[in-house]
Amino acid sequence: MTATTLFEKLWRAHEVVAETAETPATLYVDLHLTHEVTTPQAFAVLRGRGLPVRRPDRTVGTMDHSTPTVADELYGRVPIRLESAARQVREFEKNCAEFGVELLGIQHPDRGIVHIIGPELGLTQPGKTIVCGDSHTSTHGAFGALAFGIGTTEVGQVLATQCLLQRKARTLAVNVEGALGAGVTAKDLVLAIIQRLGVAGGTGSVLEFRGSTIRALSMDERMTVCNMSIEAGARAGLVAPDEITFAYLKGRPRAPAGAAWDEAVAGWRGLVTDPGARFDREIDIDAAGLAPMITYGTNPGMSVAIDELIPQRPGDLIHAKALEYMGLEAGQRMLGQEINTVFIGSCTNARLSDLRAAATVLKGRHTAKGVTLLIVPGSQRIKREAEREGLDRVFIEAGAEWRESGCSMCLGMNGDLVARGAYCVSTSNRNFEGRQGVGARTLLASPITAAAAAIAGRIADPRELLA
């Protein structure tokens, strides 16, 4: 029998009609996650053609992108500030009710960011194909699921048929060995991988993250890594499921139970790349040599170790334009760069372990004068657990704003914005021009690096505060 990669196994298990030179393959979709931003046009198409949602039992909706994170707005004590956001919320509620789609509504106790609630509820499982109208659907690949973002037209296609037309991707193995040093996190690892590959290095490929470093990561950390696969241009990211995966899923509300659990795990154990299977491309990463990372430009590939200088790239007009927008210079040291805002949240780094990590830096300290620190949990479940542990008190006593769950300041469409020209150290996944607000300058980093910056009022090495 031919040795097979994990991606190949997942693809073959879901291929309804094979790809030809003229036509893409038809893939079956096991789970369709939806939210309020990329669904209105898709539901309108179904309504216009008189079509139902084919598999509402495999479709789940949540409110995240446009939802306010201020409690008074969320719970209706005052109107939602942005009419555009309020309109999207109302439209999604109406569409889900009309088409029989389960919705974790704006005040639902399980609501949260779509790529956080899927795993924490046990909806995300090894071996599934998972799609969502959001780029960072790759997050779910941490469980050994083939998961990727789709466009609004494709959202309509999946709602109507439970299938999707796709060209088969190439495979790229990212082999990571060595122990991460103190103060170096999964976020730093994935930023280093993107720096190595470049923002187009994974184009047309599914990345499989492999090696002893990946095996040592928790599920939260694996999700951070897979979440940002798309920032290297990849179609998806994968980590083969193992005992850490099974322990995470066991007992979650939507995970199998009893005999069904035993049967599921027996099948999941086969979701690994066979020894001797060939990838289209491989790269090797030495994790032991990594340091905390920080971005300096306008895409996630423009990053440096926190104690390095911004590189010189003579003749690179894109690099020059990015530095001009960011108000930085080649050869400048990022350490000591003054900042105005810190955001700890997003589908990349708003899980309970991320909040705990930030709290280790913030406890007993206070934000620097003039710095705004916004901490937004990834789901209402995470918010409640963080409050049970007293993390909210640590954050508030440190001068932070502690909010309700949502995408928040990751993207400027819900009222949480960075001011024009201001520098924001953010635990999110994109630092594009204007991503966090018109003229906002985003510096991507880990939760502990972000927390250290909030305390110092400038880019600081978190290892000094953790010593």
Side-chain angles (χ1 to χ4, degrees):
M1 184 179 292
T2 304
T4 307
T5 64
L6 171 57
F7 167 71
E8 183 70 34
K9 292 179 181 182
L10 296 171
W11 181 272
R12 288 179 182 175
H14 293 86
E15 190 178 52
V16 179
V17 179
E19 178 179 3
T20 70
E22 293 77 28
T23 60
T26 301
L27 282 190
Y28 186 77
V29 174
D30 293 312
L31 175 63
H32 187 190
L33 297 169
T34 60
H35 58 85
E36 73 276 20
V37 175
T38 54
T39 53
Q41 301 93 328
F43 279 117
V45 169
L46 264 63
R47 186 179 295 113
R49 299 181 64 177
L51 297 172
V53 173
R54 183 172 179 83
R55 293 296 301 268
D57 57 319
R58 292 180 179 266
T59 310
V60 178
T62 188
M63 303 278 194
D64 57 2
H65 283 62
S66 296
T67 54
T69 61
V70 177
D72 283 350
E73 293 182 52
L74 188 72
Y75 293 109
R77 293 189 284 268
V78 300
I80 295 175
R81 277 176 293 168
L82 294 180
E83 175 53 29
S84 58
R87 189 167 57 250
Q88 286 182 326
V89 167
R90 291 193 301 267
E91 184 73 11
F92 196 41
E93 290 173 336
K94 183 188 79 171
N95 285 330
C96 288
E98 178 182 343
F99 286 90
V101 171
E102 179 186 2
L103 173 63
L104 306 182
I106 195 165
Q107 295 180 17
H108 195 287
D110 289 338
R111 185 191 61 80
I113 301 174
V114 65
H115 306 312
I116 289 182
I117 62 99
E120 76 178 5
L121 293 176
L123 289 162
T124 302
Q125 296 168 21
K128 283 189 174 183
T129 45
I130 302 173
V131 299
C132 175
D134 184 89
S135 301
H136 296 99
T137 309
S138 54
T139 307
H140 308 265
F143 292 79
L146 179 57
F148 48 86
I150 57 177
T152 297
T153 300
E154 293 172 310
V155 169
Q157 184 182 111
V158 177
L159 288 174
T161 69
Q162 205 57 31
C163 290
L164 189 64
L165 300 176
Q166 283 288 294
R167 288 289 182 183
K168 191 174 183 180
R170 297 184 295 275
T171 54
L172 197 167
V174 181
N175 305 309
V176 190
E177 300 291 346
L180 294 171
V184 182
T185 71
K187 181 63 162 289
D188 303 306
L189 170 60
V190 72
L191 284 173
I193 291 169
I194 296 166
Q195 182 198 64
R196 167 79 174 275
L197 282 172
V199 292
T203 300
S205 298
V206 169
L207 310 185
E208 184 179 338
F209 299 98
R210 298 156 52 80
S212 61
T213 310
I214 302 301
R215 287 278 159 247
L217 297 179
S218 69
M219 287 311 301
D220 284 1
E221 291 169 322
R222 294 178 189 186
M223 283 187 267
T224 293
V225 171
C226 286
N227 174 273
M228 293 193 68
S229 302
I230 185 69
E231 307 309 333
R235 192 73 182 103
L238 287 171
V239 176
D242 58 12
E243 297 304 322
I244 292 173
T245 317
F246 310 149
Y248 177 98
L249 285 172
K250 190 170 186 179
R252 295 198 177 262
R254 308 295 181 92
W261 169 260
D262 295 335
E263 183 180 354
V265 171
W268 293 344
R269 292 188 189 282
L271 296 175
V272 295
T273 292
D274 298 330
R278 296 178 63 85
F279 292 88
D280 294 307
R281 183 184 170 198
E282 299 195 37
I283 66 166
D284 298 323
I285 301 289
D286 176 16
L290 300 181
M293 301 289 288
I294 188 89
T295 63
Y296 62 84
T298 54
N299 70 53
M302 295 182 181
S303 67
V304 291
I306 202 159
D307 53 358
E308 290 181 338
L309 306 181
I310 296 174
Q312 304 275 356
R313 293 185 181 171
D316 187 333
L317 298 181
I318 293 174
H319 193 251
K321 183 175 181 291
L323 291 181
E324 181 182 6
Y325 177 84
M326 293 296 294
L328 302 172
E329 297 180 359
Q332 178 179 336
R333 186 175 297 279
M334 289 301 291
L335 271 177
Q337 168 65 42
E338 292 188 359
I339 57 99
N340 312 98
T341 304
V342 172
F343 169 57
I344 298 175
S346 86
C347 60
T348 313
N349 283 125
R351 296 174 182 85
L352 188 60
S353 60
D354 299 312
L355 302 182
R356 288 170 176 158
T360 62
V361 175
L362 294 170
K363 189 171 185 177
R365 299 184 171 104
H366 200 277
T367 55
K369 184 178 180 180
V371 172
T372 297
L373 171 57
L374 186 65
I375 302 181
V376 183
S379 72
Q380 294 303 99
R381 281 176 170 248
I382 291 170
K383 182 175 188 288
R384 292 192 296 273
E385 182 57 36
E387 290 172 350
R388 276 194 289 269
E389 294 184 11
L391 300 183
D392 59 321
R393 299 310 313 164
V394 172
F395 300 147
I396 292 166
E397 289 168 9
E401 295 181 45
W402 173 241
R403 295 287 189 85
E404 303 293 325
S405 66
C407 293
S408 185
M409 203 175 272
C410 175
L411 73 173
M413 65 183 305
N414 47 53
D416 295 344
L417 298 170
V418 177
R420 182 188 290 272
Y423 289 97
C424 178
V425 180
S426 178
T427 66
S428 53
N429 41 54
R430 286 183 168 165
N431 52 341
F432 303 158
E433 291 187 21
R435 170 80 175 182
Q436 295 188 296
V438 177
R441 294 164 165 170
T442 303
L443 307 166
L444 301 178
S446 74
I448 59 173
T449 298
I455 298 302
R458 62 185 187 280
I459 303 300
D461 192 329
R463 295 172 293 190
E464 296 178 3
L465 296 182
L466 294 171

